[in-house]
Amino acid sequence: SMRAGVSRGVAWWSAFFAGLIWAVHPLATSAVHYVIQRMELLVAFGFLLMCWAQYRAFGARHPRRWLALAAFACLFGMGSKETMFLAPVLAVLLDRCAVAWSWSEQWRSRGVYYAALAATWLWPASRLMVFSADGFFGADLAFRWQYFLTVSEGVVRHVTLLFWPQGQVFDYGTRLVGGLGDVAPQFYLVLIAGGLVLWGLYRRSVAAWAGAAAFAILLPSWVNLVPGQPVSEHRFYLPSGLLIGLVCGSVGVLTARHAWLRRPVAVAACAASLALALAGRQRAGLYASPVALMEADIAAWPRGDRSHMNLGLVLEVQEDYAGAARQYELAM
């Protein structure tokens, strides 16, 4: 709040609405209701706890205790999922953007802490080498390029869903896009966003740090080539929270500069929270019916081959063998 020139009250309300909107947003339903993806919740907890404890160390009576908590949170996140992999780099950038230190002052004050964070890399690195060596080392450049283009399309779609959550998809399937011509607008939007983030980091902008964190959390999945799942909404859980926080923080700065906006913005934020909560409740209700969930997937994302396969499996369990066979045919 001090770097942005806003009061504690404005910063508090910005944080409140960011947390509220993130909690009720329909885009969070995939990570919350898909039980085996609870690792997304754990890694989000570890990442945010690390950032909070690192921030609390500034001006604290016992800063080492807070930094020790941040290092433990980083280790906790590393053990939860590989998306935490770039957290030590983000920790360095957070201090760089939040405090007017020179590089020498920063390393002198936090060098030991950064080394402790770097040591936590051993955990995900060992898991990556054991369980994902083929995905990390085995793919050729053509496949990696095709995979990256597919993920770029997914990222732009997820950001769109963040502002207009209509047509969510539980399983986007395994199909990759044919080439750059299929997703050129999305690809160039990702490049432009990446360029703006790098420029903002050079200017030591905390807002740019939030954007960099969203990219960094998604990057391990792009590099590791998650088998059969290039695009998935549950992996966007933590990035969505960061982007919501970025939007709410930017609006908070705007209201700090134009006091007359505070009341209408607060009303709009309450209305948006209520609308998103209702949409999130409706989306969560689909998880009670696998048939309804898969049918919604097919309607929203017709090229999702695995949605037909999933629906076929559900119908087979329900002994609707003719319907299951039809879905298997469509999947193939």
Side-chain angles (χ1 to χ4, degrees), residues 161-191:
L161 288 172
L162 199 61
F163 294 95
W164 189 256
Q166 292 293 323
Q168 287 183 244
V169 177
F170 173 75
D171 192 337
Y172 282 81
T174 63
R175 294 180 60 184
L176 302 179
V177 300
L180 178 58
D182 295 339
V183 292
Q186 295 93 325
F187 172 74
Y188 290 118
L189 280 174
V190 170
L191 285 186

Side-chain angles (χ1 to χ4, degrees), residues 233-279:
E233 290 178 4
H234 61 77
R235 288 206 296 268
F236 206 68
Y237 176 70
L238 180 53
S240 69
L242 291 166
L243 294 179
I244 290 170
L246 174 59
V247 171
C248 291
S250 300
V251 173
V253 172
L254 185 64
T255 60
R257 296 174 180 174
H258 305 281
W260 64 271
L261 284 173
R262 293 180 185 178
R263 183 166 295 179
V265 164
V267 172
C270 290
S273 300
L274 179 59
L276 290 170
L278 293 174

Side-chain angles (χ1 to χ4, degrees), residues 283-296 311 314 318:
R283 178 65 183 172
L286 291 177
Y287 282 77
S289 171
V291 172
L293 183 62
M294 293 307 122
E295 288 178 343
L311 181 55
V314 173
Q318 296 178 353

Side-chain angles (χ1 to χ4, degrees), residues 139-217:
D140 58 31
L141 290 178
F143 178 78
R144 287 184 179 276
W145 172 244
Q146 200 175 6
Y147 193 96
F148 178 77
L149 291 176
T150 305
V151 176
S152 298
E153 179 190 31
V155 168
V156 174
R157 174 177 171 79
H158 292 165
V159 173
T160 303
L161 288 172
L162 199 61
F163 294 95
W164 189 256
Q166 292 293 323
Q168 287 183 244
V169 177
F170 173 75
D171 192 337
Y172 282 81
T174 63
R175 294 180 60 184
L176 302 179
V177 300
L180 178 58
D182 295 339
V183 292
Q186 295 93 325
F187 172 74
Y188 290 118
L189 280 174
V190 170
L191 285 186
I192 292 170
L196 290 174
V197 165
L198 291 176
W199 178 77
L201 289 176
Y202 174 75
R203 297 293 300 271
R204 303 178 71 166
S205 164
V206 177
W209 176 87
F215 271 107
I217 290 161

Side-chain angles (χ1 to χ4, degrees), residues 313-324:
L313 291 171
V314 173
L315 294 175
E316 188 174 348
V317 170
Q318 296 178 353
E319 300 183 355
D320 181 0
Y321 300 115

